Amino acid sequence: MNTMNYAFICSAPPAPNGLKAAVVGSGPAGLSAAGWLACAGYEVHVYDKLPKAGGLLVFGIPGFRIPAKRIEDAAEKLAEEYGVRFHFCTKICTQDKVCESGDEFVQEMVSLSDLLHECAAVLICTGSWRPRRLNIPGEDLPGVYTSLEFLFPLRACKMAETQVAPPLVEGRRVAVIGAGLSAVDVAQSCLRLGAGKISMLYRKTVDDAPAGRMEIKLLRQRGVHWREQVTPVRITGKDRAQKLVYTQAGGDQNREQEMDVDLVVAAIGEVPTNPFPRELRLEDISKDGKGWLQMTKFEGVFVAGDVLTGPSKIGRAILSGLRAAESLDGWIKSRDPNADAAKEADHG
């Protein structure tokens, strides 16, 4: 198994430059940024509300796709060899507190203003943790999940002691809405957990499935029922989800059909998790080289990864983290380095 190395731009830790930098979030963008900054001599502090590094790579993607041990080893390498300091179970507090997946682990809250007071700059890499909604009647019934609500407890209960309880799947009828990798991960997890019947519903055809035809074919070979060109209309049930009502293209498209269900998982993607939506207007951030790349309207606050671009592939998130770290370093060097060093000495 290949070893991941987020400090790949240097072969050994450099001499300290006397400056602190904070990275909020330890997903691929945050870890790559931490590695770049450590190689530039910064004292790097990484904050994450979860108990381990990796973000959605660890807590949102099943271990059969990406082994968590690889990410854990890479984070340990940053800490042990490059001096990166990880602050887990720590949330950077928001103006409007919103309960999100992962908040169950939070033991400490830190404000952005405190980070800016202590560090030369802050890089926010909080990813895409907020799931898209179906926006249909009944989606708030017990038994209805987003893909993250479904997958996160399955991973979290194995990562640390927690009150998070995984969904009961064995013997149950599960409807998975979507055809991306998240939907595939949900379906595969249900297979492993012994679901009685798994149906996968997608608004387009198998040729349009984001996960690819082969992933869908493999699921169907394992017994997953595939229904395409389906539009969910509502979810009904007295005390919990019992039926999924939908329409299907072909024939009478307005004729409603229904499916008996115990669980419904809407795997239709996530949206960026901006921890400071009022303060940080991400739409105003420079992405094309005008001004300091990926810096917000607040001097010294940068953004990288999925929180800026929306859900993307791992390589794109890593590249975004590297670019933001380089921009952050350039911004600091453009100012009076002696003043920055003195500021850090005052807080040392």
Side-chain angles (χ1 to χ4, degrees):
M1 183 171 63
N2 295 330
T3 301
M4 298 174 109
N5 179 18
Y6 285 102
F8 58 85
I9 68 168
C10 62
S11 57
N17 67 9
L19 298 170
K20 293 181 184 178
V23 178
V24 182
S26 65
L31 290 175
S32 63
W36 196 101
L37 292 169
C39 284
Y42 288 87
E43 180 184 314
V44 183
H45 292 257
V46 179
Y47 297 83
D48 201 298
K49 65 182 181 179
L50 298 172
K52 293 180 181 292
L56 285 175
L57 290 184
V58 171
F59 289 90
I61 299 177
F64 54 77
R65 189 177 295 280
I66 298 180
K69 187 67 166 58
R70 293 188 63 195
I71 294 96
E72 184 177 351
D73 289 346
E76 286 183 0
K77 182 180 179 71
L78 286 178
E80 295 174 2
E81 298 183 23
Y82 293 86
V84 174
R85 303 181 189 185
F86 287 91
H87 305 269
F88 295 120
C89 301
T90 302
K91 183 172 182 175
I92 306 306
C93 53
T94 61
Q95 187 176 49
D96 300 317
K97 181 168 175 56
V98 178
C99 185
E100 301 164 333
S101 293
D103 283 1
E104 299 90 343
F105 293 100
V106 173
Q107 298 176 5
E108 185 177 354
M109 303 283 281
V110 177
S111 70
L112 178 61
S113 60
D114 286 343
L115 289 188
L116 287 171
H117 182 67
E118 296 173 1
C119 301
V122 176
L123 177 53
I124 296 175
C125 308
T126 46
S128 294
W129 280 82
R130 197 162 293 133
R132 295 185 185 279
R133 305 278 291 174
L134 289 170
N135 293 321
I136 61 174
E139 68 176 328
D140 292 325
L141 282 169
V144 182
Y145 300 85
T146 64
S147 58
L148 189 54
E149 289 170 340
F150 182 87
L151 292 170
F152 176 79
L154 296 179
R155 300 289 279 158
C157 66
K158 298 177 182 178
M159 293 293 165
E161 291 185 9
T162 173
Q163 299 300 316
V164 176
L168 178 60
V169 176
E170 185 175 3
R172 297 197 166 191
R173 300 161 296 186
V174 184
V176 182
I177 300 171
L181 286 178
S182 291
V184 169
D185 288 343
V186 169
Q188 289 180 333
S189 296
C190 288
L191 285 168
R192 289 170 177 260
L193 293 170
K197 179 180 179 181
I198 307 167
S199 300
M200 204 166 186
L201 297 81
Y202 183 48
R203 61 190 177 90
K204 297 182 180 180
T205 70
V206 68
D207 294 324
D208 302 306
R213 289 179 57 91
M214 183 55 67
E215 291 278 7
I216 306 303
K217 180 180 179 181
L218 292 174
L219 287 175
R220 296 178 75 174
Q221 289 175 347
R222 296 181 64 186
V224 174
H225 299 262
W226 170 259
R227 302 193 187 193
E228 58 186 36
Q229 295 184 292
V230 168
T231 302
V233 175
R234 62 184 175 275
I235 301 165
T236 63
K238 185 176 180 181
D239 299 315
R240 58 178 298 107
Q242 294 176 313
K243 292 184 183 295
L244 174 62
V245 181
Y246 63 93
T247 60
Q248 189 167 14
D252 185 1
Q253 297 187 31
N254 295 321
R255 185 174 66 86
E256 293 185 351
Q257 304 179 57
E258 61 182 36
M259 173 190 304
D260 292 329
V261 296
D262 299 301
L263 300 174
V264 177
V265 184
I268 55 176
E270 289 78 37
V271 296
T273 311
N274 180 0
F276 302 94
R278 293 186 182 181
E279 296 88 346
L280 304 184
R281 292 175 53 85
L282 300 190
E283 62 271 19
D284 296 335
I285 290 175
S286 173
K287 304 175 188 177
D288 56 6
K290 297 178 182 177
W292 290 104
L293 188 68
Q294 295 175 221
M295 186 166 81
T296 70
K297 68 176 182 178
F298 288 96
E299 286 203 343
V301 180
F302 294 76
V303 182
D306 289 3
V307 68
L308 178 61
T309 64
S312 64
K313 293 184 177 180
I314 296 172
R316 187 181 177 190
I318 290 174
L319 181 59
S320 178
L322 295 174
R323 286 175 172 171
E326 185 175 12
S327 180
L328 180 156
D329 180 58
W331 174 77
I332 290 176
K333 289 179 178 176
S334 72
R335 306 167 73 218
D336 184 354
N338 294 323
D340 281 328
K343 172 186 173 183
E344 293 305 316
D346 289 340
H347 293 290

